[in-house]
Amino acid sequence: MTNRKKLVAGNWKMNGSLDANEALVLGILPEADGAVDVSVFCPFPYLGQLQRLLKGAGVQFGAQDMSAHLSGAYTGEVSVAMLKEFGVSQVIVGHSERRTYHAESSDIVAKKASLAIQNGVTPIVCLGETLGQREAGQVESVIASQLDPVIAECSKFVSDGVWNLVIAYEPVWAIGTGVTASPEQAQEVHAMIRQRLQAMLGEALAQSTRILYGGSVKPGNAAEIFAKVDIDGGLIGGAALSSDDFSGIIRAARG
Ligand code: PGA
């Protein structure tokens, strides 16, 4: 048995506008009753808007990326200190779209996650294999190559048996495609991730770490995915842009 609280996280990607964000956020607030954790991840310019809209509300918010550097001559980058000024408590790092389109290596992802933790911001670290890698039987080696640098770097910041880190397993072939991993396929990889955490960090930390599933989660398939023992919620893309769909997923996580 575990006491991990489910987390439903909405990754808006490069979508939204001042008007659309407000309607979306107001639409999901009634579902955020504390039974499960809920967060939304907006493009950088909207952090101030979400800080205002979500003040005192039961929904956390965050950014979709951050710099691996603290400050300086890094044109276009946003530092963790800047995120914190806007009340950010969580940040997505290593999303497959960042790895693919911005050549982010697992070492850079590990550095970002570690910087976030050191600054009191919870990283949601994304990992996942491509279809080709799955078909070539490389799921375990790909996950290991993405996860191990993160564990090595971030385990330095475990304090009192706790680290504020969330993992999101997102098979690349399921992101935005409408093809979801079956609950069994997802559970198999989640269990493998937890086993790796246990081997490197011990039972207690492995059991307390939340592992989200991401990739075409919708209100209609969320409940059966979230019912699996090692799946602690979801990282939601497309369906996070509709308050009805996102609310339905929150309800599925509530059980
Ligand atoms: P999707 O995206 O739900 O649209 O598949 C998930 C993600 O990229 O986090």
Side-chain angles (χ1 to χ4, degrees):
M1 273 310 285
T2 70
N3 55 0
R4 297 185 298 270
K5 193 173 182 183
K6 290 260 193 297
L7 168 61
V8 177
N11 174 12
W12 293 356
K13 308 193 180 183
M14 199 173 71
N15 294 291
S17 66
L18 290 171
D19 286 348
N21 301 346
E22 181 158 353
L24 183 52
V25 158
L26 295 181
I28 63 174
L29 279 184
E31 292 300 336
D33 62 0
V36 299
D37 288 335
V38 177
S39 17
V40 291
F41 296 84
C42 66
F44 293 126
Y46 299 127
L47 290 171
Q49 182 193 21
L50 290 196
Q51 186 180 31
R52 280 192 306 280
L53 286 173
L54 295 175
K55 197 166 183 206
V59 175
Q60 305 290 309
F61 67 97
Q64 300 167 10
D65 184 34
M66 57 172 260
S67 176
H69 304 278
L70 279 175
S71 68
Y74 300 101
T75 301
E77 295 278 275
V78 175
S79 75
V80 65
M82 294 169 189
L83 298 183
K84 285 186 70 174
E85 281 203 294
F86 286 90
V88 163
S89 58
Q90 302 172 2
V91 62
I92 296 172
V93 295
H95 190 280
S96 72
E97 287 149 18
R98 304 270 341 149
R99 293 179 191 260
T100 304
Y101 306 136
H102 302 274
E104 279 193 21
S105 68
S106 294
D107 287 336
I108 290 180
V109 173
K111 203 167 165 203
K112 290 181 176 187
S114 156
L115 258 192
I117 290 177
Q118 290 173 66
N119 286 277
V121 173
T122 300
I124 298 186
V125 181
C126 304
L127 358 136
E129 80 287 357
T130 63
L131 188 56
Q133 290 166 333
R134 173 165 281 264
E135 287 172 350
Q138 295 169 345
V139 175
E140 184 153 10
S141 61
V142 169
I143 297 295
S145 72
Q146 294 174 337
L147 181 62
D148 293 2
V150 172
I151 300 178
E153 189 58 41
C154 295
S155 58
K156 297 174 195 159
F157 305 101
V158 173
S159 91
D160 295 331
V162 178
W163 68 346
N164 59 334
L165 180 139
V166 174
I167 290 167
Y169 169 57
E170 299 206 301
V172 177
W173 47 272
I175 295 177
T177 58
V179 180
T180 321
S182 70
E184 292 70 30
Q185 279 174 321
Q187 165 58 28
E188 193 183 2
V189 180
H190 282 232
M192 188 239 288
I193 292 171
R194 202 175 301 287
Q195 244 165 30
R196 270 200 107 68
L197 292 174
Q198 181 163 334
M200 294 177 81
L201 299 166
E203 165 93 19
L205 215 50
Q207 285 302 326
S208 64
T209 302
R210 291 191 283 194
I211 308 175
L212 312 182
Y213 169 79
S216 298
V217 178
K218 309 283 177 219
N221 61 21
E224 54 172 358
I225 295 171
F226 297 163
K228 292 293 179 190
V229 63
D230 286 301
I231 301 183
D232 307 311
L235 182 54
I236 319 301
L241 298 173
S242 146
S243 55
D244 283 351
D245 286 351
F246 198 60
S247 297
I249 294 170
I250 296 169
R251 281 194 293 277
R254 205 186 284 136

